[in-house]
Amino acid sequence: TGAQQSATVANPVSGASPDLLPHFQLEPEDVYIVKNKAVSLACRATPATQIYFKCNGEWVHQGDHVTQHSTDRGTGLPMMEVRIEVTRQQVEKIFGLEEYWCQCVAWSSSGTTKSQKAFVRIAYLRKNFEQEPMAREVSIEQGIVLPCRPPEGIPPAEVEWLRNEELVDPALDANVYVTPEHSLVLRQARLADTANYTCVAKNIVARRRSASAAIIVYVNGGWSTWTQWSGCSTSCGRGWQKRSRTCTNPTPLNGGAFCEGQNVQKTACTTLCPVDGAWSEWSKWSVCGAECTHWRNRECSEPAPRNGGRDCHGPELDTRNCTSELCSHVAPGAEDVALYVGLVAVAVCLVLLLLVGVLVYCRKKGGLDADVADSSILTAGFQPVSIKPSKADNPGLLTIQPDLSTTTMTYQGSLCPRQDGPAKLQLPNGHLLSPLGTGRHTLHHSSPVTEGADFVARLSTQSYFRSLPRGNTNMAYGTFNFLGGRLMIPNTGISLLIPPDAIPRGKIYEVYLTLHKQEEVRLPLAGCQTLLSPIVSCGPPGVLLTRPAILAMGHCVEASAENWSIRLKKQSCEGTWEDVLQLGAELCTELYYCQLEAQSCYIFTEQLGRFALVGESLSMAASKRLKLVLFAPAACPSLEYNIRVYCLSDTQDVLKEVIQLEKQLGGQLIGAPRVLHFKDSYHNLRLSIHDMPSSLWKSKLLASYQEIPFYHIWSGLQPFLHCTFTLERLNPSTCELACKIWVWQVEGDGQSFTVNFNIAKDTRFSDWLVPDNEIGTPALVGPSAFKIPFLIRQKIISSLDPPGTRGADWRTLAQKLNLDSHLNFFASKSSPTAMILNLWEARHFPNGNLSQLAAAVAEVGKQDSTLFAVSEAEC
């Protein structure tokens, strides 16, 4: 071959241009050998004197080439086209060592040119799928993921899905899409999605079908509304009446659960029996009259007819002739005329007397009305204060009139704290403030905490009270004046700070703070929106404050600007939810502002109402924090033992609710809780149990894992979900359990719990379940609600609000306290320093370090040490 190459180069074909290198018009391309059919490789070049194929570094024999000579019509240069065939045996000789490839080499008088490499592969497609879809039964509107991993093949197999042997086209159905890993995803199951699903893999060699997976979408039944009560079963006496409902809202389908409860209700009823009337005894006969008749009567009264009974039949009056000899027949004469005239005269007199009486009555009535009106004015001042309407220019309470009969609380003593106290605000020499003189300062405020029964009784008269939860577990309330105060719902991280001067002087507000359960308040969510915080109400609604109150509550978002769009929602008086603030795009003129920290948010609001934090994910990298907690029974009287795994939104209020539930169930905590970052990837949460000693325990779970649907967790409307692992002891004396529980999001990161505990040992709830800083009075009024003494607070505000020389003002204080990202909001308020101190109080009560605050204030003062006198305050 080498000699042939040399000869070809030395003797070029006549007509070839000596100055041109060969140019390929056709190069060999990658091909696949299907079964035992040989494949053809071709290349064409101009100008070319010779073309040969080289395969895997070796020249192909000249006799295996099919050569065709022609002339390029456009240039007139000689053109050569060469073809070879490659068989399966040739490729299999080097199979496993490297891939089989071939390349064209073309010669001209000017040199050689190589074509691209063309790879020759043997095509195949295995029979068995690496993963096939599994049959499932799912509730309507639940998400479905059908995995499919096609068989190994060359070229790689393409995948399509069949529903009842018809092709599934995601372009025609927005509820369906196929992941890059070939899994079929139904976002929300519909009844029409009940079918047999088949995964089909195909390439140029073959077409493979997976086993069909039957998906059954079931609908759990729901009760219709009750019908009206039927009529009483008896028309007289005691009977019953009933009403019914049907399990048709919706009707259970495809094996869905039937409605629980009664479909018929009965109640006792009593119908009054009809009583027929009966005659009384006849009266005695009257004296015989002038017409020689006398009469007697009777009444239908023994008994009288009632309840629809029949009336008496027969005459009511009975007359008959008299047979007495005293009866005489006398014609009417002068005596009768006189009698008639006398009767007429008497009647006329009676009519005149009646008219005179009516005139006198009307005159007295007119005069009495004026007297009554005057009397009501005179007696109005004796009405109770609690029901006396307020004047327009002095509204007093905006809402419910407080009980002013309670005694007032007086704070006596110096507002500068004691030097030996645990919470002292000590400013060193050179501090910003002039010292406070010793003396006695008295602050009065009315009715510090309203009694619960009286407060709820007054609330019950208001329309908004119907939407508030009952009981004191998730509610705090108190009466506040201009000194402000604080409401807290213990063990939830939820509080409301009412700063001083937020309530106008001379007014008293009764304020409540309430945590709602998700089933009590319906919060509509759309698209990828999710609830990130509890739903909290503070009110009464419509109360306007002169300075913003601060509502603190937890959240479960891992916030980042590129992954989330977070909004603060508020419920209007009509019941609709409105966006009042978008975090990161706050306007300083608005009534609301929100500072989002790692696990809590602080909402500044001048209008009380119902609030919630809602987020919308902007990418699949957005994640929420879940807290995973394990509980198990404290005692195990039977062979079965249950481990309950709770997946909670990572907020304190949800944890509190689960703790209360487990205390009722007699559960004990297993280990410390874990945090899992749950991503917006449409993948479910999967739980499984491992490493359990098979000689002592066995799992009664039929499947290898349990799953919680993605949408149940992501919406946030179900604050906690749990799975139960039911285990069985093989020996009644076994009381030690050691195992691992894995919790992970499909195609995501996971967490494992190592479980080692003694069933017979009584395990108490850990200290972290009840934070010490949350235990205490849910309502604090006046100075006791704040760490910073009132007068010192006022001096800090008056000193730092005006712009200072060398930057010794509230801006520097905000920087010292790491609040400089909120300068625009602080600057929009009449007292920026007050906003800073209010936020410090909300973040650090009750365990805030006053020494650090004092040091920050002192550093601000040192920037302009000549501005204030320097001395030490004695307390």
Side-chain angles (χ1 to χ4, degrees):
T1 305
Q4 190 177 22
Q5 175 184 352
S6 300
T8 304
V9 174
N11 299 288
V13 177
S14 61
S17 175
D19 300 327
L20 296 176
L21 289 173
H23 170 70
F24 283 100
Q25 295 181 338
L26 174 67
E27 297 185 77
E29 296 180 350
D30 296 345
V31 291
Y32 295 94
I33 297 177
V34 180
K35 297 183 179 179
N36 293 321
K37 296 180 181 179
V39 295
S40 176
L41 299 177
C43 64
R44 183 171 60 247
T46 181
T49 58
Q50 292 293 339
I51 299 178
Y52 287 98
F53 272 93
K54 179 185 288 187
C55 293
N56 283 77
E58 297 182 359
W59 294 100
V60 179
H61 194 273
Q62 182 180 5
D64 295 333
H65 292 72
V66 177
T67 305
Q68 182 179 356
H69 295 275
S70 62
T71 303
D72 189 348
R73 295 180 180 180
T75 62
L77 297 176
M79 182 169 56
M80 181 179 292
E81 182 174 343
V82 177
R83 295 180 179 272
I84 64 170
E85 286 191 350
V86 180
T87 65
R88 184 186 184 101
Q89 291 76 14
Q90 291 175 275
V91 176
E92 287 180 341
K93 285 182 181 179
I94 62 166
F95 182 76
L97 299 177
E98 57 180 323
E99 288 190 298
Y100 192 93
W101 58 269
C102 293
Q103 185 180 36
C104 273
V105 182
W107 284 267
S108 71
S109 61
S110 299
T112 61
T113 302
K114 295 181 180 180
S115 71
Q116 66 180 8
K117 289 183 179 180
F119 291 91
V120 182
R121 300 179 177 91
I122 299 176
Y124 67 93
L125 184 63
R126 307 284 186 199
K127 292 185 178 181
N128 297 326
F129 280 74
E130 295 184 9
Q131 185 178 12
E132 295 185 288
M134 302 293 292
R136 293 181 59 187
E137 294 183 0
V138 297
S139 174
I140 193 169
E141 296 186 355
Q142 179 180 341
I144 305 175
V145 179
L146 294 176
C148 176
R149 295 174 60 188
E152 180 186 354
I154 293 180
E158 298 179 355
V159 173
E160 61 185 19
W161 283 88
L162 302 179
R163 178 196 286 134
N164 288 342
E165 302 304 320
E166 294 184 0
L167 182 65
V168 177
D169 188 358
L172 301 178
D173 190 350
N175 192 48
V176 178
Y177 74 94
V178 179
T179 67
E181 296 79 19
H182 310 300
S183 296
L184 179 67
V185 177
L186 304 179
R187 290 184 172 89
Q188 290 183 320
R190 305 160 297 190
L191 289 176
D193 295 325
T194 299
N196 292 322
Y197 291 83
T198 308
C199 181
V200 179
K202 61 181 181 179
N203 65 3
I204 61 176
V205 178
R207 176 187 174 96
R208 311 291 187 202
R209 293 168 54 97
S210 70
S212 295
I215 299 300
I216 298 177
V217 181
Y218 62 85
V219 179
N220 293 325
W223 289 114
S224 65
T225 56
W226 289 100
T227 62
Q228 296 294 328
W229 286 103
S230 65
C232 200
S233 60
T234 61
S235 59
C236 176
R238 187 175 179 82
W240 54 267
Q241 58 184 155
K242 67 177 181 179
R243 64 176 182 175
S244 61
R245 59 180 178 175
T246 57
C247 190
T248 56
N249 187 30
T251 303
L253 296 173
N254 298 335
F258 195 78
C259 303
E260 296 182 1
Q262 298 178 345
N263 64 337
V264 177
Q265 283 185 344
K266 291 185 178 182
T267 183
C269 59
T270 302
T271 305
L272 297 176
C273 297
V275 177
D276 296 335
W279 292 112
S280 62
E281 294 293 332
W282 288 102
S283 64
K284 293 182 180 182
W285 289 102
S286 65
V287 178
C288 194
E291 285 87 8
C292 294
T293 60
H294 63 171
W295 52 270
R296 64 176 182 175
N297 67 343
R298 60 181 178 176
E299 296 179 352
C300 189
S301 60
E302 293 186 3
R306 61 180 182 271
N307 304 330
R310 293 190 299 271
D311 205 352
C312 300
H313 294 283
E316 184 178 6
L317 185 65
D318 184 21
T319 61
R320 68 180 181 179
N321 293 329
C322 303
T323 57
S324 171
E325 64 273 6
L326 297 179
C327 179
S328 61
H329 296 277
V330 181
E335 295 86 354
D336 293 338
V337 174
L339 176 62
Y340 295 148
V341 172
L343 291 176
V344 171
V346 170
V348 171
C349 292
L350 291 176
V351 170
L352 292 175
L353 289 174
L354 180 61
L355 290 175
V356 171
V358 170
L359 291 174
V360 172
Y361 173 76
C362 292
R363 179 173 298 179
K364 288 185 176 180
K365 185 176 184 300
L368 182 63
D369 287 342
D371 295 339
V372 171
D374 294 340
S375 176
S376 64
I377 295 175
L378 293 175
T379 57
F382 296 97
Q383 296 179 4
V385 175
S386 59
I387 62 174
K388 189 175 181 179
S390 60
K391 298 181 181 179
D393 58 347
N394 187 17
L397 292 182
L398 280 181
T399 57
I400 310 164
Q401 191 75 5
D403 184 6
L404 298 179
S405 61
T406 57
T407 59
T408 61
M409 175 178 289
T410 302
Y411 175 80
Q412 296 180 345
S414 172
L415 288 181
C416 182
R418 299 178 181 273
Q419 295 292 340
D420 54 354
K424 59 185 180 179
L425 181 61
Q426 182 177 0
L427 301 178
N429 290 335
H431 60 75
L432 184 64
L433 304 179
S434 58
L436 293 174
T438 59
R440 174 173 176 174
H441 306 274
T442 304
L443 301 176
H444 299 270
H445 56 92
S446 300
S447 189
V449 179
T450 307
E451 294 296 331
D454 296 338
F455 188 89
V456 175
R458 287 193 294 275
L459 273 182
S460 62
T461 63
Q462 306 299 318
S463 60
Y464 57 80
F465 182 73
R466 301 188 187 99
S467 63
L468 298 179
R470 303 300 185 264
N472 297 327
T473 304
N474 291 327
M475 188 175 185
Y477 40 80
T479 304
F480 301 91
N481 59 8
F482 75 96
L483 291 174
R486 184 187 306 265
L487 291 176
M488 298 177 292
I489 302 178
N491 305 326
T492 62
I494 299 172
S495 65
L496 178 68
L497 178 73
I498 304 174
D501 294 327
I503 298 175
R505 293 177 180 261
K507 292 189 178 182
I508 302 175
Y509 292 168
E510 286 184 336
V511 183
Y512 64 82
L513 178 65
T514 298
L515 167 65
H516 295 273
K517 295 183 179 180
Q518 270 70 23
E519 60 268 19
E520 297 172 348
V521 178
R522 179 172 179 81
L523 176 63
L525 300 176
C528 299
Q529 289 183 343
T530 174
L531 183 62
L532 301 175
S533 72
I535 301 176
V536 178
S537 290
C538 55
V543 170
L544 287 177
L545 304 174
T546 57
R547 291 189 179 181
I550 301 179
L551 176 63
M553 57 185 178
H555 65 81
C556 60
V557 62
E558 288 295 318
S560 56
E562 66 275 8
N563 295 332
W564 284 99
S565 172
I566 302 176
R567 288 176 168 85
L568 177 66
K569 285 184 175 287
K570 182 176 183 289
Q571 192 174 31
S572 65
C573 298
E574 292 78 16
T576 59
W577 287 88
E578 302 172 347
D579 294 339
V580 296
L581 181 67
Q582 180 176 356
L583 273 66
E586 297 90 343
L587 298 177
C588 297
T589 59
E590 295 183 353
L591 297 175
Y592 309 96
Y593 187 81
C594 182
Q595 179 187 350
L596 191 69
E597 297 190 350
Q599 294 185 336
S600 301
C601 63
Y602 299 92
I603 301 168
F604 292 78
T605 175
E606 297 180 14
Q607 291 184 349
L608 303 183
R610 184 169 296 164
F611 297 92
L613 208 62
V614 172
E616 183 173 0
S617 61
L618 303 180
S619 70
M620 297 180 68
S623 64
K624 295 174 59 176
R625 291 193 317 275
L626 300 182
K627 181 161 287 185
L628 307 175
V629 189
L630 273 65
F631 287 92
C636 183
S638 63
L639 294 179
E640 286 190 356
Y641 195 71
N642 295 325
I643 298 178
R644 294 182 289 273
V645 183
Y646 288 88
C647 303
L648 321 175
S649 297
D650 189 15
T651 56
Q652 292 186 35
D653 59 291
V654 181
L655 181 60
K656 173 185 176 181
E657 187 174 354
V658 171
I659 292 170
Q660 292 173 345
L661 174 63
E662 279 296 329
K663 286 185 177 179
Q664 296 175 359
L665 297 177
Q668 65 177 359
L669 177 69
I670 305 176
R674 307 289 177 87
V675 174
L676 175 68
H677 298 284
F678 190 76
K679 294 185 177 180
D680 181 20
S681 61
Y682 298 103
H683 294 302
N684 299 339
L685 194 68
R686 189 169 291 180
L687 304 93
S688 60
I689 189 168
H690 303 278
D691 299 345
M692 188 170 50
S694 58
S695 60
L696 301 176
W697 296 86
K698 71 175 183 179
S699 173
K700 300 189 72 175
L701 185 67
L702 298 180
S704 59
Y705 57 85
Q706 301 185 62
E707 275 193 353
I708 301 177
F710 168 81
Y711 290 98
H712 289 187
I713 300 176
W714 187 256
S715 68
L717 297 178
Q718 302 183 43
F720 65 87
L721 301 160
H722 83 274
C723 291
T724 300
F725 292 95
T726 302
L727 311 179
E728 184 177 0
R729 293 185 290 183
L730 302 181
N731 189 332
S733 61
T734 301
C735 60
E736 296 285 343
L737 175 60
C739 62
K740 285 186 178 180
I741 293 179
W742 277 93
V743 183
W744 75 100
Q745 191 175 9
V746 180
E747 300 189 12
D749 299 330
Q751 296 278 347
S752 66
F753 290 80
T754 302
V755 179
N756 293 285
F757 66 99
N758 190 326
I759 298 173
K761 184 178 179 181
D762 181 18
T763 304
R764 299 180 180 273
F765 288 95
S766 300
D767 294 338
W768 63 267
L769 294 177
V770 184
D772 294 336
N773 60 353
E774 293 286 352
I775 301 175
T777 305
L780 296 174
V781 179
S784 62
F786 304 97
K787 295 284 292 181
I788 307 172
F790 184 79
L791 295 184
I792 291 183
R793 168 192 169 89
Q794 296 303 106
K795 283 186 172 291
I796 296 176
I797 292 173
S798 61
S799 302
L800 298 184
D801 271 351
T805 59
R806 304 179 185 177
D809 57 14
W810 60 270
R811 294 176 178 81
T812 306
L813 179 62
Q815 294 174 357
K816 299 294 182 183
L817 300 178
N818 298 321
L819 299 176
D820 47 333
S821 60
H822 309 288
L823 293 180
N824 291 335
F825 169 70
F826 297 147
S828 67
K829 300 302 177 183
S830 59
S831 175
T833 310
M835 295 298 102
I836 296 174
L837 297 181
N838 295 342
L839 181 56
W840 187 92
E841 290 279 8
R843 297 172 65 190
H844 297 90
F845 188 88
N847 296 325
N849 191 337
L850 275 175
S851 300
Q852 294 180 356
L853 178 62
V857 174
E859 290 183 12
V860 176
K862 290 178 181 178
Q863 297 186 17
D864 192 357
S865 57
T866 63
L867 188 61
F868 297 98
V870 178
S871 61
E872 187 68 27
E874 297 180 359
C875 302

